[in-house]
Amino acid sequence: MPPSRVCDVPIGHLHFIWPRARGLLVKALDRGGGGRYAPADILALLLAGAARLWVSYDPDKKCIEAAILTQTIQHPQLKELHIWLVGGSNMKAWAEEARDMIEAFARADGCAIISGGLRRGWIRIGGEGWHETGATFEKRLDGDAQ
């Protein structure tokens, strides 16, 4: 079995990993962030432990090929792990491993569900048990028709 490509990044390692993962998450924010967060906001959440960064490392190219941001949300009745941002390339190499690792983390953390606010095409990599529960609609009120 090949070594793992995917890992979660401990807070103490963010100073080293963040510069390499930042650009991947910026691309994801540009596609669907709606101007809600800047990269500095995301880093602050990570440093505060309010979000978790997962990365996939390409051993051949010796670079981070993907970055995933998750947040744990404690609702009154259950705990949820929300996959918030995903950016990167070479998805076939890491998507299944990332999904399995994140699901295992969520179970170990006592989460009852995993959700994702991702683009519609991501449902294909979810695998067994994942289903679409709705759509998110948004209208900008600042005059921009985005």
Side-chain angles (χ1 to χ4, degrees):
M1 181 173 203
S4 180
R5 294 177 83 96
V6 179
C7 69
D8 64 323
V9 180
I11 292 173
H13 295 178
L14 282 170
H15 68 282
F16 177 71
I17 300 294
W18 177 249
R20 291 156 181 81
R22 180 186 180 278
L24 299 169
L25 293 172
V26 166
K27 287 180 183 179
L29 279 174
D30 289 347
R31 281 192 306 268
R36 292 173 182 89
Y37 293 88
D41 301 323
I42 293 172
L43 180 58
L45 289 170
L46 290 167
L47 290 170
R52 182 176 290 264
L53 177 64
W54 306 77
V55 296
S56 176
Y57 181 78
D58 182 333
D60 297 326
K61 293 181 181 176
K62 296 182 177 22
C63 69
I64 293 175
E65 62 189 344
I68 303 166
L69 195 70
T70 62
Q71 288 183 294
T72 301
I73 304 165
Q74 180 62 62
H75 299 286
Q77 302 299 318
L78 58 80
K79 193 174 187 180
E80 168 187 2
L81 185 70
H82 183 70
I83 302 170
W84 178 29
L85 291 172
V86 179
S89 60
N90 198 18
M91 184 175 72
K92 287 184 180 181
W94 55 263
E96 186 176 325
E97 181 183 352
R99 179 199 64 215
D100 293 348
M101 189 174 286
I102 290 170
E103 284 185 22
F105 169 81
R107 281 187 182 91
D109 196 39
C111 293
I113 61 172
I114 299 176
S115 66
L118 310 168
R119 289 181 292 141
R120 189 170 235 152
W122 283 97
I123 193 71
R124 291 190 308 264
I125 68 162
E128 186 177 332
W130 284 84
H131 60 278
E132 189 173 339
T133 59
T136 300
F137 296 89
E138 181 175 291
K139 178 181 178 180
R140 299 294 302 204
L141 300 176
D142 57 7
D144 294 338
Q146 293 182 353

